[in-house]
Amino acid sequence: QSGYITLDPGFKNTGSTESAITFLDGEKGILRYRGYPIEQLAEHSNFIEVAYLLINGKLPNRHELDQFQGTINRHSLVHENMKLMLQAFPAHAHPMGVLSSLMASLSTFYPESQNPHRAPEMVNLTIIRLLSKMPTLAAMAHRNSSGAPIMYPKNSLGYLENFLYMMFGMPTEEFSIDPVIVDALDKLLILHADHEQNCSTSTVRIVGSSQANLYSSISAGVSALWGPLHGGANQAVIEMLENIKADGGNIEKWIDKAKDKDDSFRLMGFGHRVYKNFDPRAKIIKKAADDVLNKLGINDPVLEIAKKLEEIALQDEYFVQRNLYPNVDFYSGIIYRALGIPTEMFTVMFALGRLPGWIAQWKEMTERKEPIGRPRQVYIGENVRDYVHMADR
Ligand code: SDX
């Protein structure tokens, strides 16, 4: 404490807002979107319906859902100049960097971004544009690195089929996608859709609190998500599992490395700021990983290493004492890999899933007219001192 300032690095014990969107109970491993348990939504709902629920606060009836889906489909094209922008990026550019740049540039194409008063109908149009164009931009980010031609969206396809078509389709071939892949992806995106005030959502809120437009706020969220301690963990998990596999499957050696204070290596996909028993999403994703690999007839040795690593870590005192359990990122990469998603696109998949949550949180913050975010600090620098002229230095 210093005067009236309470220092709380990482905001571990600070509530930044009141929200009616997502409920988490870290002790009991509970996650609900607008009161609906994540287990039921993952089982019975679909990603577009969950997006509607998060943003509008209720499950849509048939007419509302059809209208929402139909409107989204009709905004999936992006300005042709964005293809020229893509040519400016090097082929090795990480898709998250390309995506955050393209998302930020959306605000230069749409006049409503400059509308400081954000009339509700303009906000709704921006929301539809974001939901509709992000999959197009995400697929463009992938095509930039693969060198394949950009695929234009097809409005006759569903939301996820359209994304997979833009990711993997070719102008020279007919396109078909295994429904197992679409169902698995749908479930994964539902599980990633919101998670209360995590790092990237707090970033979206604080950027939006300055009344920056929603496109720029979402672009900031994409950048925050990229970090390996946050959404970038799903890519880091697969790289870690591949390293363990290359190292002869020597799991104990890598667990010791993660426990070694002198070694910066952490067990990626383990631990969570809020969940101190288990991440309910990890339980669902672990089962889905088994289902998808069985249905697709894939035997991925990396999945076996992941299960073995989890088993050993959960019996290791270091991890038990610190309440370190697999989180949402531990198994998700194994499914993305089975679906043919390239490793560097895993965090882009996380961003696609989290988009409705970011939008819902920004909308709630805006509607509640919350003040600009501006934390204080405890100063630990130099005391007052006079300027020293160059001749005297
Ligand atoms: C996501 O917040 C959200 O909701 C995020 C998310 C979402 O949906 O938005 O759930 C998505 O980001 C999941 C987390 C993905 N990140 C990783 O898997 C990276 C590895 N995990 C960690 O770096 C860590 O667990 C965090 C970042 C997730 C949480 O960090 P905290 O809460 O700040 O905890 P900490 O870093 O203070 O660690 C507490 C102790 C430390 O040891 P001591 O100093 O007490 O001796 O646990 C240790 C840490 O060294 N520790 C780990 C570890 N995670 C924490 N040691 C080894 N391996 C790990 N993974």
Side-chain angles (χ1 to χ4, degrees):
Q1 299 256 345
S2 159
Y4 58 94
I5 302 285
T6 305
L7 202 53
D8 182 18
F11 310 123
K12 294 192 175 188
N13 301 297
T14 296
S16 59
T17 187
E18 291 174 322
S19 177
I21 299 170
T22 291
F23 173 74
L24 291 194
D25 181 317
E27 293 308 318
K28 300 191 186 101
I30 294 174
L31 172 57
R32 299 186 199 127
Y33 296 159
R34 298 287 190 179
Y36 295 97
I38 192 67
E39 293 77 8
Q40 293 182 28
L41 292 171
E43 183 67 31
H44 304 300
S45 186
N46 63 68
F47 180 60
I48 289 299
E49 181 175 84
V50 165
Y52 184 100
L53 170 66
L54 286 168
I55 293 167
N56 298 297
K58 71 179 191 74
L59 287 171
N61 60 34
R62 172 48 57 199
H63 168 69
E64 288 162 334
L65 185 58
D66 291 348
Q67 196 182 25
F68 188 60
Q69 170 78 63
T71 315
I72 287 174
N73 261 7
R74 284 196 301 279
H75 287 270
S76 51
L77 281 172
V78 295
H79 196 292
E80 275 298 290
N81 287 4
M82 296 191 92
K83 284 172 64 179
L84 300 175
M85 288 178 64
L86 206 55
Q87 291 163 23
F89 296 113
H92 62 265
H94 194 289
M96 282 296 276
V98 174
L99 181 63
S100 67
S101 309
L102 294 176
M103 295 300 291
S105 70
L106 281 175
S107 58
T108 60
F109 289 96
Y110 298 108
E112 81 265 15
S113 320
Q114 278 71 43
N115 172 351
H117 308 299
R118 282 199 284 263
E121 66 278 7
M122 295 314 280
V123 169
N124 291 335
L125 177 57
T126 303
I127 289 172
I128 290 296
R129 281 182 164 143
L130 275 164
L131 288 167
S132 183
K133 296 178 193 308
M134 192 159 164
T136 306
L137 296 177
M140 282 168 71
H142 167 57
R143 303 296 271 208
N144 171 63
S145 50
S146 72
I150 303 294
M151 299 298 285
Y152 285 93
K154 264 187 179 171
N155 291 352
S156 55
L157 296 174
Y159 190 77
L160 295 179
E161 288 88 344
N162 211 357
F163 170 67
L164 293 168
Y165 169 68
M166 292 185 281
M167 275 283 288
F168 301 121
M170 283 294 167
T172 49
E173 314 277 334
E174 284 307 307
F175 180 75
S176 67
I177 192 79
D178 186 334
V180 168
I181 292 179
V182 178
D183 290 348
L185 199 48
D186 198 61
K187 185 174 289 211
L188 275 174
L189 295 190
I190 289 173
L191 293 168
H192 284 80
D194 193 54
H195 215 238
E196 59 136 273
Q197 305 312 316
N198 59 84
C199 176
S200 55
T201 299
S202 299
T203 302
V204 170
R205 276 183 171 254
I206 204 158
V207 170
S209 73
S210 75
Q211 291 198 0
N213 64 73
L214 180 50
Y215 298 113
S216 305
S217 305
I218 297 295
S219 169
V222 172
S223 298
L225 187 71
W226 192 359
L229 294 189
H230 190 16
N234 56 18
Q235 175 176 345
V237 167
I238 289 294
E239 288 161 356
M240 172 185 74
L241 295 172
E242 287 286 5
N243 287 338
I244 295 174
K245 182 169 149 242
D247 194 13
N250 186 346
I251 293 172
E252 284 76 1
K253 173 184 153 193
W254 287 80
I255 285 200
D256 291 342
K257 213 166 128 63
K259 291 155 56 175
D260 178 355
K261 282 296 155 214
D262 299 332
D263 190 324
S264 62
F265 171 75
R266 285 189 162 192
L267 219 46
M268 300 316 280
F270 260 75
H272 199 277
R273 174 62 60 74
V274 178
Y275 292 123
K276 295 306 175 193
N277 280 313
F278 61 91
D279 182 336
R281 301 167 296 178
K283 285 176 83 169
I284 301 171
I285 293 176
K286 179 178 177 181
K287 184 180 174 311
D290 272 329
D291 292 348
V292 170
L293 269 66
N294 289 338
K295 282 179 187 164
L296 296 176
I298 295 172
N299 172 26
D300 186 348
V302 151
L303 175 59
E304 296 322 307
I305 293 176
K307 287 181 176 175
K308 191 93 185 92
L309 189 150
E310 177 186 4
E311 189 188 318
I312 296 171
L314 295 189
Q315 290 159 20
D316 184 297
E317 193 188 316
Y318 173 95
F319 293 91
V320 173
Q321 261 179 0
R322 291 167 178 78
N323 301 310
L324 301 177
Y325 295 84
N327 58 47
V328 67
D329 294 305
F330 190 63
Y331 285 104
S332 55
I334 288 162
I335 299 181
Y336 289 138
R337 203 157 100 128
L339 303 185
I341 308 276
T343 306
E344 69 278 356
M345 281 292 286
F346 286 7
T347 311
V348 171
M349 300 312 296
F350 194 142
L352 279 180
R354 187 51 53 88
L355 178 61
W358 285 335
I359 290 171
Q361 299 271 353
W362 177 92
K363 189 165 175 275
E364 181 179 70
M365 182 264 307
T366 306
E367 287 168 352
R368 286 168 53 97
K369 297 187 177 9
E370 295 198 357
I372 186 167
R374 200 266 184 234
R376 293 304 310 278
Q377 62 171 24
V378 171
Y379 178 70
I380 55 170
E382 296 287 344
N383 211 332
V384 63
R385 51 184 173 167
D386 294 328
Y387 182 76
V388 179
H389 293 286
M390 188 57 79
D392 304 328
R393 287 181 206 162

